[in-house]
């Protein structure tokens, strides 16, 4: 009966994408569920996986909105 | 001061509905708050209830996106 | 497939109790699950209920640890 | 490596606003991250801040949807 | 910067164990982090994994505390 | 009515401490509550702060249990 909650920023992994694709979501669900089965022997049918997508402005890292923090990391500040 | 968080899939309970109605949300809030009052004597005024609606593609069950898993359950796979 | 998470302070409802009883937990589980069934027609077998107990020092209200805030509320500050 | 999750209702602080502004979000991120640094000496670069905005209908208080509860508080019921 | 939260019941996978082992926890952390890397190309160094262990009395399923529900499932009620 | 949840590893900030002190918890509660007041004008009396302490073995970073990851960071792997 595990519950796996995956929080990610709402952005794609390819240029022009605004969020991850249905296929990627399905892979995350499959992978997280299989991990519970493989490591803890929890049946797939009793595992929930929840994907929470968070707008970039709503995710902070390094004291800054993440988009701003990434810019600074790139500029080696 | 309980906090009750209710995570549900973003879908209606009637054909053609894309999510639960305002009335249903109000019933969930009332019911969850009264449960805290009845069982733990927590005043309504110090109980928060949060309803989180999750897109169907973002909820996994049985290692699959839930819509797909429901199809398989129905087909008795 | 709802998930209902109930966060409460780790304290009893009767003098001398340090946390709620097993019976109270069972009533919270039953009540929350039935609420999902009654309002949203979600089968009991696909509803998870999680009770999270939080130490009093770890719960803040009114800018204070809750035990301190309650004292002030009582003293009508 | 703290994670600070801030749940708020999706509403603005000024008339006509439907949610808080980007600047306010940046201030919440900065303030929460600095708090971890000041009190627990946790570096900004290892602190995540997540802002979750909840629709008014999805937030319950006093056994009612929050907008309804506020009306009653104002009317001194 | 994903955050993966894994909620499981506090029990072992072998007789006599009261919770999962450190090795199992490390495998869950490794597996969940690699999943983010493989599917979403998220670097390991920016992924947090949190394992939350919940007492059996605090986890409800089928309207019952989970230990009780398992008994009924076994007895084919 | 914000809810601020602070997840931290269960460790002290001084040698020999196994978790943060009551005073530090009170500072986190005060600081998080004042942040909501200052930035969003949310009254202290309608803000909850929850501090969740997570065992070191239960917190993963860089694909490893955090204590192990810190060792590697120090050794400049």
């Amino acid at each position: 009966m595990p519950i796996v909650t995956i929080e990610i920023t709402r952005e794609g992994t390819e240029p022009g994408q605004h969020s991850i694709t249905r296929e990627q979501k399905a892979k995350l669900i499959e992978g997280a569920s299989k991990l519970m089965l493989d490591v803890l022997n929890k049946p797939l049918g009793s595992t929930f996986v929840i994907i929470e997508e968070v707008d970039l402005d709503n995710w902070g890292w390094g004291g800054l909105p993440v988009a701003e923090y990434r810019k600074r990391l790139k500029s080696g500040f």
Side-chain angles (χ1 to χ4, degrees), chain A:
Chain A
M1 306 153 330
I3 299 168
V4 182
T5 303
I6 299 172
E7 292 171 274
I8 50 173
T9 41
R10 193 191 305 277
E11 56 185 332
T13 54
E14 302 304 327
Q17 277 183 345
H18 297 292
S19 77
I20 67 172
T21 66
R22 290 184 75 186
E23 292 67 30
Q24 288 172 313
K25 290 178 183 178
K27 279 186 186 163
L28 291 177
I29 289 168
E30 183 190 6
S33 307
K34 274 205 79 234
L35 180 64
M36 298 302 122
L37 179 63
D38 296 345
V39 178
L40 300 180
N41 202 26
K42 301 286 186 183
L44 298 179
S46 63
T47 295
F48 284 165
V49 178
I50 313 277
I51 299 169
E52 292 184 9
E53 298 174 272
V54 179
D55 292 340
L56 281 171
D57 285 344
N58 288 36
W59 193 300
W61 188 9
L64 297 165
V66 69
E68 180 58 27
Y69 187 60
R70 285 175 177 162
K71 262 190 244 162
R72 298 210 185 170
L73 282 180
K74 261 190 198 148
S75 72
F77 78 113

